[in-house]
């Protein structure tokens, strides 16, 4: 059974940078606002069972919009969306960013069982 604990409040930032993304193919940082080791403009996955405030070293960091296939992500992991401008990220059961089952808003975080998750998408606002 999939367990999900919302940690949005623990990862919310006090201020949000708003930028015009234009036709950019990549989510480039507007400011240097790193959250728990996750750079501004990125979506980060932390190691299995790792609590980011205690160990701010993500194992996976994604910057570019679109689908990113995952491998060897077993068990519960924190996923942090440190993008800006309203960009979201989705966890998907299929490769290629299809079959999405959970969407993280900007500044959102979740502790999620990634065993059935095979891709993550970074979504333009």
């Amino acid at each position: 059974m999939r367990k999900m604990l919302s940690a949005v409040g623990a990862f919310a930032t006090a201020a949000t940078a708003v930028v015009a993304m234009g036709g950019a193919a990549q989510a480039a940082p507007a400011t240097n606002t790193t959250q728990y080791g996750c750079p501004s403009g990125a979506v980060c996955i932390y190691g299995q069972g790792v609590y980011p405030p205690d160990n701010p070293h993500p194992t996976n960091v994604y910057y570019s919009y679109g689908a990113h296939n995952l491998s060897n992500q077993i068990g519960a992991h924190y996923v942090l969306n440190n993008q800006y401008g309203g960009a979201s990220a989705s966890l998907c059961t299929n490769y290629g960013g299809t079959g999405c089952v959970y969407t993280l808003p900007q500044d959102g975080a979740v502790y999620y069982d990634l065993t059935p998750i095979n891709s993550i998408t970074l979504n333009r606002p």
Side-chain angles (χ1 to χ4, degrees):
M1 175 180 252
R2 192 176 328 203
K3 283 187 169 182
M4 179 173 48
L5 301 174
S6 178
V8 173
F11 290 96
T13 57
T16 302
V18 178
V19 297
M21 294 311 298
Q26 199 165 349
T31 61
N32 189 14
T33 310
T34 300
Q35 296 293 323
Y36 304 107
C38 187
S40 178
V43 174
C44 299
I45 298 176
Y46 296 83
Q48 181 180 6
V50 170
Y51 182 54
D54 293 341
N55 185 358
H57 305 286
T59 56
N60 299 64
V61 179
Y62 303 99
Y63 284 101
S64 59
Y65 292 119
H68 302 274
N69 292 333
L70 303 179
S71 61
N72 299 319
Q73 298 294 323
I74 307 299
H77 298 254
Y78 275 97
V79 180
L80 170 62
N81 179 6
N82 198 26
Q83 296 182 95
Y84 49 83
S88 64
S90 299
L91 303 177
C92 310
T93 56
N94 299 324
Y95 290 109
T98 62
C100 298
V101 295
Y102 189 83
T103 299
L104 284 153
Q106 173 185 317
D107 299 323
V110 67
Y111 189 64
Y112 204 93
D113 181 1
L114 296 183
T115 304
I117 302 299
N118 287 304
S119 63
I120 185 169
T121 64
L122 277 63
N123 311 312
R124 291 181 188 270

